[in-house]
Amino acid sequence: KVPAGTPTYDHWGEAFTTGHTFDNVLSVGGGDDRRTFFLSAGNTFQNGTIVGDHDKYNRTTGRLKATQFVGSKLRLGGNVAYSDVRSDYVQKGNNLNGLLLGLARTPPDFNNFPYLVDGLHRSYRYPNPANATDDRVYDNPFWVINEDRNTSRVGRSIGNFNVDWDALSWLNVKYTLGADHASDERIEGLPPQSSGYDGGTIWQGTYNALQLDHNLVATAQRKWGQALATTLTLGTLSA
C-alpha cells in the first residue's frame, strides 16, 4: 500500500478530457418539372477525449446532384461527391508504445510530469534518464500523446451518371455508371527514445482503391385489371 500522506496523482484524469464534435452543413436545392439540382458542403470537426492536439478528426465534404429531362421520356442524372479527411491519432491498446498500457501501470505515487528532462524521455520505469539509448520499458503516456505521430490523410471521390428511359408505356430502361476512388496516406512515427525503438522508427504507406460499376435494368409492368398486376425485371450488374 502507498504510505499514508504520500502524494498521489490522478493519471486517468490527467490524460483524458471532454471531447467535442462540431458538425456544419450548408445545402441548397431546387428545380422544376424538367430539372432538379442539389448542392451541399459540410465540415465535421472532432477534438477527441485525449488531452493535447493529436487526437483530432476533420472531414470536409462537397456534393452536387442534378437531373434533366430530354423530351418527355428520357431523363439524365448525375451525382458527384468528394470528401477530404485529415486525422491525427494517439496509439492505444496493449503495446509498449501505446497510451493505455503505460498509463494503467504507472504507480499512483509517481508524477508523470515532466515527461522530458533535459530533452530525455522520463517514465516510471526510468524516472531519472541518463541517456537516450536506455530502454524505457513503458513509454510515459504524455510522451505518447505529444511526441508520437499517427496521421491519416484520405481523399475520396464518388460519382455516377444515369439514364432513365421510358421506352414504352409499360417498359422502363435504366442504365447507371459509377466510380469510387479513394487514396489514404498514413504515417506512423515513433521518435528516438521510444520503448523498444531507441533510435526511433517510421512507417509510411499510401493505399489507393478504385471501383467501377455499371448496371442496366429493364422493368416491364402490366396491369391486367383491378386485382392483378405483374412486374418483370431483367438486368445486368458489373463491378
Side-chain angles (χ1 to χ4, degrees):
K1 293 182 177 181
V2 176
T6 302
T8 58
Y9 304 89
D10 179 9
H11 298 314
W12 292 93
E14 293 171 342
F16 293 97
T17 186
T18 301
H20 297 88
T21 298
F22 301 92
D23 195 3
N24 298 282
V25 177
L26 175 65
S27 62
V28 59
D32 52 31
D33 60 339
R34 304 285 300 169
R35 61 193 59 85
T36 64
F37 76 93
F38 176 81
L39 177 66
S40 71
N43 177 263
T44 299
F45 176 78
Q46 292 181 337
N47 193 358
T49 58
I50 299 172
V51 299
D53 294 325
H54 299 141
D55 180 29
K56 296 185 294 187
Y57 176 89
N58 190 5
R59 181 184 66 203
T60 302
T61 59
R63 182 185 180 194
L64 174 63
K65 181 180 180 180
T67 63
Q68 174 68 55
F69 268 101
V70 179
S72 60
K73 296 184 177 182
L74 182 66
R75 185 175 68 175
L76 306 179
N79 181 23
V80 61
Y82 180 76
S83 63
D84 179 85
V85 180
R86 300 173 182 267
S87 307
D88 294 274
Y89 303 106
V90 174
Q91 284 207 43
K92 298 187 287 289
N94 184 22
N95 73 86
L96 301 180
N97 306 110
L99 170 66
L100 298 181
L101 194 60
L103 183 67
R105 295 192 176 191
T106 302
D109 58 343
F110 180 80
N111 186 0
N112 277 317
F113 295 99
Y115 69 89
L116 285 175
V117 176
D118 295 328
L120 296 177
H121 176 193
R122 171 180 172 269
S123 70
Y124 85 91
R125 293 295 299 269
Y126 195 57
N128 301 300
N131 58 66
T133 58
D134 287 346
D135 191 356
R136 273 67 178 164
V137 185
Y138 300 108
D139 281 349
N140 185 304
F142 296 95
W143 168 274
V144 176
I145 292 172
N146 294 292
E147 303 298 328
D148 292 356
R149 291 294 179 270
N150 295 278
T151 63
S152 173
R153 303 292 184 261
V154 179
R156 186 177 184 184
S157 301
I158 303 173
N160 64 68
F161 173 75
N162 60 79
V163 178
D164 198 329
W165 178 36
D166 292 323
L168 300 168
S169 61
W170 51 270
L171 177 64
N172 175 266
V173 179
K174 186 172 184 178
Y175 175 74
T176 302
L177 173 65
D180 183 351
H181 176 263
S183 177
D184 183 358
E185 299 179 359
R186 304 179 189 177
I187 294 177
E188 179 181 354
L190 299 176
Q193 304 181 43
S194 295
S195 297
Y197 298 93
D198 55 19
T201 187
I202 187 169
W203 296 271
Q204 182 174 5
T206 300
Y207 304 85
N208 291 293
L210 174 62
Q211 178 176 314
L212 300 176
D213 62 86
H214 61 93
N215 59 77
L216 176 65
V217 177
T219 303
Q221 295 180 314
R222 179 68 182 272
K223 192 171 184 180
W224 303 92
Q226 294 295 328
L228 180 62
T230 58
T231 299
L232 175 64
T233 300
L234 299 175
T236 176
L237 307 177
S238 177

